[in-house]
Amino acid sequence: MIKAQHNWFAEKIFRIYVFRMLKKHFASISIIGKFPELNVNFPTLLIPNHNTWWDGFFVYFLNKTVIRQTIY
């Protein structure tokens, strides 16, 4: 198996791209209710209930703004 390697430069460029695209196409993004506490000792699966190409952007945005864990 190939070990995942995070590239800080690619991450920075992708973050700028995702945040600009979301800002351009959506007036706001809100979390309704209390976000559940996550145990950082266990892996987390985020499964969107839609199947559009925006879902990956929303998961990335949610991770960067709320969850703040390394994702793969």
Side-chain angles (χ1 to χ4, degrees), residues 47-52 55:
I47 304 170
N49 64 348
H50 297 108
N51 57 355
T52 67
D55 290 349

Side-chain angles (χ1 to χ4, degrees), residues 10-59:
E11 167 71 25
K12 192 148 190 97
I13 297 298
F14 188 69
R15 181 184 177 115
I16 291 168
Y17 175 71
V18 168
F19 276 63
R20 283 189 182 173
M21 288 294 287
L22 291 174
K23 192 174 199 176
K24 178 180 176 183
H25 292 281
F26 297 93
S28 68
I29 298 174
S30 304
I31 296 175
I32 299 172
K34 187 175 184 277
F35 195 81
E37 294 292 324
L38 301 174
N39 187 338
V40 295
N41 297 320
F42 295 104
T44 302
L45 271 177
L46 299 175
I47 304 170
N49 64 348
H50 297 108
N51 57 355
T52 67
W53 70 282
W54 286 109
D55 290 349
F57 284 13
F58 292 138
V59 169

